[in-house]
């Protein structure tokens, strides 16, 4: 696991993914591996707690989009919570803000 | 003011680049919100060189990172890989719906959105990418 990124998954009626640190070229493979059960599973309600997510690069954005596409495909919902101003700006610039439910 | 770092074409080297950028931020007195963007620009540009300019299996190849700050901030990246012009990449359509939106292709776009000027040239068997940004002192 990359030192600069941590992800924990809490199962429940709504699955909560808590991510902290840097989601970048180096850590995104670990992140993808950790959320694989959610990507290929049956969960319909997923919340991503991004309060401590400091940084996201394009390699991280592709996983946000992948998760959103997978959930949308099975009529599920994904909520993103606690985006920092820096991360929010990356979402705005890339048009991602329109593709996600951001709280 | 100028600061330079030479790394190898390995994504693990990005960690060393990030530490170098922290130093640059202090020396150049950059705002932390801009430093995050500069980090993003460099990560996207350098990882593209690692993935596309150098061939898989080619190891220990150099990437030079030179940052200078006079009236504007300039980033110069030099590598000895095959000709690779990231400025030629078409911009993604960011108005597409979730279903239509392709996965990926955002790295170069982010660079172009953040920096004011991005230019590429091929000289003496090297790719040279220069990115400039006017920032407040």
């Amino acid at each position: 696991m990359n030192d600069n990124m941590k992800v924990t998954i809490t199962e429940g009626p709504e699955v909560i993914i808590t991510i902290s640190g840097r989601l970048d070229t180096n850590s995104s493979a670990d992140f993808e591996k950790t959320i694989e059960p959610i990507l290929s599973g049956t969960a319909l309600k997923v919340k991503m707690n991004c309060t401590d997510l400091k940084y996201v690069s394009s390699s991280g954005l592709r996983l946000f989009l992948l998760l959103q596409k997978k959930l949308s495909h099975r009529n599920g919902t994904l909520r993103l919570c606690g985006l920092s101003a820096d991360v929010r700006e990356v979402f705005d610039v890339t048009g991602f803000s329109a593709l996600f439910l951001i709280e | 003011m100028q600061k330079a770092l030479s790394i190898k074409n390995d994504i693990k080297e990005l960690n060393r680049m990030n530490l170098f950028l922290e130093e640059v931020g202090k020396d150049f007195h950059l705002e932390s919100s801009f430093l995050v963007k500069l980090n993003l620009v460099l990560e996207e540009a350098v990882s593209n060189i690692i993935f596309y300019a150098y061939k898989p299996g080619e190891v220990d190849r150099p990437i030079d990172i030179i940052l200078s700050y006079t009236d504007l901030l300039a980033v110069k990246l030099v590598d000895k890989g095959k000709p690779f012009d990231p400025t030629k990449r078409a911009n993604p359509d960011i108005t597409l719906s979730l279903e239509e939106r392709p996965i990926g292709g955002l790295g170069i776009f982010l660079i172009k959105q953040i920096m004011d000027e991005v230019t590429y040239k091929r000289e003496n068997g090297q790719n040279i990418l220069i990115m400039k940004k006017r920032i407040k002192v």
Side-chain angles (χ1 to χ4, degrees), chain A residues 25 57-59, chain B residues 7 11 14 17 40-53 63 77 84 107:
Chain A
T25 307
S57 72
S58 65
S59 51
Chain B
I7 63 169
I11 59 165
L14 293 172
M17 183 188 80
L40 189 57
V41 164
L42 274 161
E43 180 186 331
E44 302 296 353
V46 170
S47 60
N48 268 306
I49 293 170
I50 295 171
F51 294 135
Y52 305 119
I63 300 166
L77 298 178
F84 170 68

Side-chain angles (χ1 to χ4, degrees), chain A residues 25-26 55 57-58 69, chain B residues 11 37 39 43-44 98 101:
Chain A
T25 307
N26 269 308
Y55 175 97
S57 72
S58 65
K69 277 177 179 271
Chain B
I11 59 165
K37 293 193 188 82
N39 194 164
E43 180 186 331
E44 302 296 353
L98 177 66
R101 194 78 195 256

Side-chain angles (χ1 to χ4, degrees), chain A residues 63-100:
Chain A
L63 296 174
F64 271 93
L65 186 58
L66 186 62
L67 182 61
Q68 176 69 309
K69 277 177 179 271
K70 293 272 189 190
L71 275 161
S72 165
H73 193 68
R74 53 184 191 248
N75 292 318
T77 54
L78 170 67
R79 303 193 287 143
L80 307 183
C81 304
L83 295 189
S84 71
D86 290 332
V87 171
R88 178 67 199 237
E89 213 177 323
V90 175
F91 271 69
D92 287 345
V93 163
T94 51
F96 267 39
S97 296
L99 303 177
F100 291 86

Side-chain angles (χ1 to χ4, degrees), chain B residues 89-101:
Chain B
R89 187 83 59 97
N91 286 342
D93 182 351
I94 64 167
T95 64
L96 291 178
S97 69
L98 177 66
E99 291 72 30
E100 300 165 317
R101 194 78 195 256

Side-chain angles (χ1 to χ4, degrees), chain B residues 61-72:
Chain B
R61 303 289 287 146
I63 300 166
D64 293 327
I65 304 167
I66 303 121
L67 284 105
S68 60
Y69 189 17
T70 48
D71 51 332
L72 48 74

